Structure formats: C-alpha cells, structure tokens
Amino acid sequence: MTVRELQDKILQLKTDTDTCILAHSYMSEDICEIADFTGDSYALAVKAKSTPNKNVIMCGVRFMAEMVKMLNPEKRVMLSNPIAGCPMAEQMDKELIEQVKAQYPGYAVVAYVNTTAELKTVADVCVTSSSAVKICRAMPEKNILFIPDINLGTYVKEHLPEKNFKLLSGGCPTHAKINESEVLAAKKAHPNALFLVHPECRPEVVKHADYVGSTTGIMDYAAKSEAKEFIIGTENSIVQHLQFAHPEKAFYPLSKDLVCNNMKATTLSDVYRCLTGEGGEEITMSEDLRRSAVKCIEKMIEYGG
Ligand code: 13P
Ligand code: SF4
C-alpha cells in the first residue's frame, strides 16, 4: 500500500468512527496531513474541546494525551502509540516534589505542561513554553518552585529578577544535549540565518537566539519574518514542516541530533491501527485525579495563559 492509499483509508475511517485526529508539530509530514489539528500540546487539548467528535486520537506523547483527557473528560481519548512517553514529563514523581515543597514552605509550585497528570496534582499553576514568563510574572507569589525543566526555569528566572526561583535539575534529554559550540558552528556555516530556539535548550544555546519560543511560536515567527534563512533549534521535524510550508526560504537544523525518539515512535500505521481498534491505548483517569490535575491549568488560564 502507498502512503497516499493509507492516508485515504484513515480519512474514511475518521468519518466512519466519528474521530478527530490531533497531531503535535513534531509528528512527521504524513501524519500532519491527515490530522484535523496540528500545533503545540496545550493548543491541541483546547482545540479538542471545539470538535463535536466523540473520539479523539492524540499523535504525540503520553502527557499530551492525558491533557486532552483532562480537558475533555466526556470524550474517548486514545494515544496512537502507547510506547511514546516524554522522558522529561516522567522524570519526577509526586513524592519527590512533596519532599522539596516541605523544604521550601511558602513557595508556589509552577509546573511546565510537560508533566504527568499525577505531577500536576501537586502544582499550583501550569505553564507552557510560550506562556511561562507571562504567567510567572502575573502570579502574586514572589517565591516559585519551578518543575521539572531547569532550562525553561532558568529562562523564566532571567526575565523575572524580581522573583525568587528554586529550580530542580530536570529537562529534555533531546534539547539539553545541544551545546554552544554547535550553535557557533551553525552560525558560521549560515551567517545570514536567524537563529530560532526552544527554551528547553541550555542557557548557553538560548543566549545566541534571535527568537525564543514554543514549537508553534517558532513556526509562526519563521512564517512572518522577512528573513530568508533560519537555523532551527528544536526537534528536526519542525525544519521539515517549515521547508514544506515555505519553499522560498531555507531552514537548517541546529544539529542532526535534535531528534526526539519518543515523538518519532508514532507512525501513520499506528494511526490506522488505532482507528481499526487493533492498536493505541485509551487514556483513562479517575475523576478525582482529573479534577485535582486540571486545577493548575485553570489557574494558568486565570493568569492569562
Ligand atoms: P511545545 O509545547 O512547544 O509544543 O513543546 C512540547 C515539547 O515537547 C517540546 O520538546
Ligand atoms: Fe519530551 Fe523532549 Fe521529546 Fe519534547 S522533545 S517530547 S520534551 S523528550
């Protein structure tokens, strides 16, 4: 079967089974083409609310599917490939954060959206990569325990010198492995290119950026910019999507190693098998867990996220 034939079968099955397909921007082009919505994790969970479909398939990693379920409890939510987890989201557990909280009484816990539903239950406020600075600024608390990403936490801390931050040493293994020498080499190879980077990268990398933002932020910036060349400091699928969308511009990966194997685990065949009932995993959670975890997202919305 060709990719096109499989895509046609998926499109038919979507209609037959009343299913909406969400694809994170790190998915491959063949999956994005059959999705109803593509974007970053939080935006997709919100988009799911606007669809009349009873069933939702999340093509991304587990915490993203959990968030779709948290915001859409009445829908049947499937993770298209159950082995797709996010190492950062699963690095810290509730017990560890409760111990740290006890050492820092009075600190508000701010959790990056890349966390499990269980970890969100101990957070006061949730943030996305694009809203983190804005939300932490809007919070009345001066003392903030930021989990789990030390790089995003450092980026926020640098923008808010008026607040006290306690950071823990979690992070994304894919973004954190990039170092400054790779940035300098990419800039030397492409001296006219703007450098767009995700804040999950280390501060030594982020400090060279012309723009820092989420996956959607990077894509929007590149689309609107007058510049013709860009070095992309996030997962390499974004380089591919941008090159398809803007053939008149040139996009260079910051490093060939910027590949998230968890995101790459999902294939078009997984989506097909999920629709036929032969694959995927339904995301379930108790109503108690859901209500407790969703509170930090409601707080984020209250603070303008
Ligand atoms: P976004 O929220 O920017 O899509 O990022 C999710 C992610 O996993 C980045 O590595
Ligand atoms: Fe998680 Fe990093 Fe992969 Fe994003 S790129 S899903 S943060 S491991």
Side-chain angles (χ1 to χ4, degrees), residues 95-107 109 145 166-168:
E95 287 69 35
L96 172 80
I97 301 305
E98 271 163 353
Q99 281 169 24
V100 181
K101 267 173 87 166
Q103 287 167 27
Y104 293 90
Y107 274 64
V109 180
L145 170 61
K166 170 70 192 156
L167 308 177
L168 300 185

Side-chain angles (χ1 to χ4, degrees), residues 194-214:
L194 291 183
F195 176 39
L196 318 184
V197 77
H198 199 287
E200 287 175 14
C201 286
R202 294 195 217 172
E204 69 190 47
V205 169
V206 171
K207 77 174 185 204
H208 292 284
D210 296 292
Y211 173 79
V212 183
S214 70

Side-chain angles (χ1 to χ4, degrees), residues 26 61 86-88 114 172-175 200 260 263:
Y26 287 166
V61 291
C86 166
M88 160 149 56
N114 291 39
C172 165
T174 303
H175 287 82
E200 287 175 14
C260 172
M263 283 288 185

Side-chain angles (χ1 to χ4, degrees), residues 9-214:
K9 279 181 181 286
I10 288 173
L11 293 176
Q12 186 58 53
L13 278 165
K14 266 202 320 183
T15 314
D16 296 348
T17 59
D18 190 20
T19 301
C20 163
I21 298 181
L22 308 175
H24 185 267
S25 325
Y26 287 166
M27 290 293 108
S28 50
E29 205 62 36
D30 53 350
I31 294 177
C32 290
E33 282 176 2
I34 50 84
D36 296 276
F37 300 107
T38 58
D40 54 30
S41 47
Y42 178 64
L44 288 175
V46 173
K47 280 278 183 204
K49 283 163 91 77
S50 67
T51 68
N53 306 99
K54 284 203 304 281
N55 303 299
V56 178
I57 294 179
M58 178 71 219
C59 304
V61 291
R62 185 171 292 272
F63 84 84
M64 298 178 179
E66 280 186 356
M67 197 158 52
V68 175
K69 184 68 185 174
M70 278 160 57
L71 296 187
N72 301 273
E74 72 293 351
K75 294 189 193 281
R76 180 167 177 267
V77 177
M78 302 288 295
L79 174 62
S80 50
N81 185 334
I83 68 160
C86 166
M88 160 149 56
E90 289 153 25
Q91 262 159 5
M92 291 172 191
D93 61 21
K94 200 175 145 180
E95 287 69 35
L96 172 80
I97 301 305
E98 271 163 353
Q99 281 169 24
V100 181
K101 267 173 87 166
Q103 287 167 27
Y104 293 90
Y107 274 64
V109 180
V110 173
Y112 185 25
V113 72
N114 291 39
T115 39
T116 59
E118 197 200 48
L119 201 56
K120 285 187 177 78
T121 64
V122 289
D124 297 296
V125 188
C126 184
V127 293
T128 65
S129 51
S130 49
S131 72
V133 173
K134 181 179 169 189
I135 302 297
C136 289
R137 183 181 287 124
M139 289 169 61
E141 293 91 346
K142 192 173 160 68
N143 298 329
I144 293 173
L145 170 61
F146 193 97
I147 61 169
D149 187 358
I150 191 164
N151 291 335
L152 178 61
T154 302
Y155 177 73
V156 178
K157 179 179 169 173
E158 281 169 0
H159 281 76
L160 300 174
E162 69 278 20
K163 303 230 173 189
N164 301 322
F165 283 87
K166 170 70 192 156
L167 308 177
L168 300 185
S169 57
C172 165
T174 303
H175 287 82
K177 69 184 164 201
I178 307 304
N179 59 42
E180 188 174 21
S181 60
E182 289 168 275
V183 182
L184 298 177
K187 279 181 164 265
K188 195 169 170 202
H190 308 291
N192 298 321
L194 291 183
F195 176 39
L196 318 184
V197 77
H198 199 287
E200 287 175 14
C201 286
R202 294 195 217 172
E204 69 190 47
V205 169
V206 171
K207 77 174 185 204
H208 292 284
D210 296 292
Y211 173 79
V212 183
S214 70

